[in-house]
Amino acid sequence: METTTPTPAEVGRRATEILALIKGTEEFSRLERSSQAYTDCWATFTGYPLVANWDLTSDTPPLFEEALRVLALKSAVFELSDGDEHVAELEISAPVDEMVHAVLAQYTLCQRLTERIGIGFVHMTDQERFTYEVDGYTDQCYRAAGWGEPNRRYWLDRAEMGRRLDILGRKYESIGIQAEGRSHRFTFEELTPTEAATTRATV
């Protein structure tokens, strides 16, 4: 039986309620803090670096808000589509998706929070498509939730993401990083500047 995709108005209305519920839990302040901590552990080569003049300190807080909105939208679609995981896996921009991963990495908190308010966070890699387009279904649901226009600093359509990935790929390759960060030939045998200075001092 084919699932009927809920209208943006339905999704927006429910997502607004879900986001308010999330922010009203006693777990939220810790989720906010922990999702933005230890950022060196979850940055990739093809997510955040797509943002022009990327700065982890200033860009993390607004991206956290975008991630919460995405999770609220996905939860709303999942609920309104009677649990259709494929429909609920909305098309989103890679930098926003990376922050979604950072939030969901707080597994214990997310589990406790969602159980408390009776919703489910939806995210599966095998359902991701990365075909996000401006003014598509995701944007329509986002606006219907009353959040205005998605921040184009982070919400890049697939053509722009592809263009920036090409640029990043060339820059990575120029320093020996291949396949957009998936491989390299570094042996780590050369001395670091500190080791080199210590060696010279003892000679």
Side-chain angles (χ1 to χ4, degrees):
M1 182 177 177
E2 188 174 342
T3 302
T4 301
T5 302
T7 68
E10 292 174 309
V11 175
R13 194 160 43 244
R14 181 57 181 146
T16 302
E17 296 170 351
I18 289 173
L19 186 58
L21 289 170
I22 291 170
K23 291 186 174 183
T25 62
E26 62 183 64
E27 289 84 10
F28 177 71
S29 61
R30 187 179 175 198
L31 181 68
E32 182 177 31
R33 184 174 65 254
S34 58
S35 295
Q36 298 180 64
Y38 306 109
T39 47
D40 290 343
C41 296
W42 42 254
T44 69
F45 287 87
T46 58
Y48 295 144
L50 293 181
V51 176
N53 297 307
W54 166 251
D55 186 300
L56 196 62
T57 301
S58 58
D59 284 314
T60 297
L63 265 174
F64 174 72
E65 182 66 22
E66 295 300 330
L68 288 181
R69 291 173 176 179
V70 164
L71 287 169
L73 289 170
K74 287 184 176 185
S75 296
V77 175
F78 188 70
E79 183 180 297
L80 293 166
S81 65
D82 294 322
D84 190 310
E85 186 181 13
H86 183 72
V87 172
E89 190 59 59
L90 299 178
E91 298 169 1
I92 63 175
S93 179
V96 178
D97 185 66
E98 188 159 341
M99 181 55 87
V100 168
H101 292 176
V103 173
L104 295 178
Q106 316 311 313
Y107 174 76
T108 306
L109 272 178
C110 287
Q111 186 180 46
R112 198 180 303 151
L113 183 153
T114 53
E115 286 178 355
R116 184 184 299 278
I117 61 179
I119 64 161
F121 281 161
V122 183
H123 191 84
M124 283 297 297
T125 301
D126 64 2
Q127 296 295 323
E128 291 183 299
R129 300 179 289 276
F130 290 108
T131 55
Y132 169 75
E133 296 285 4
V134 172
D135 296 328
Y137 182 68
T138 302
D139 278 12
Q140 293 169 34
C141 293
Y142 189 105
R143 295 187 192 109
W147 301 328
E149 186 71 13
N151 187 335
R152 295 303 167 201
R153 176 166 174 75
Y154 310 117
W155 287 88
L156 311 168
D157 67 23
R158 63 175 171 178
E160 182 60 14
M161 283 191 284
R163 189 185 76 83
R164 294 187 186 193
L165 278 172
D166 286 344
I167 293 170
L168 279 175
R170 291 195 299 272
K171 291 183 181 295
Y172 290 150
E173 288 177 7
S174 73
I175 58 171
I177 297 174
Q178 308 297 318
E180 297 173 350
R182 296 178 183 86
S183 69
H184 65 65
R185 296 293 180 268
F186 302 153
T187 63
F188 301 101
E189 293 176 356
E190 65 266 28
L191 296 178
T192 67
T194 301
E195 292 170 329
T198 301
T199 301
R200 286 195 298 270
T202 57
V203 171

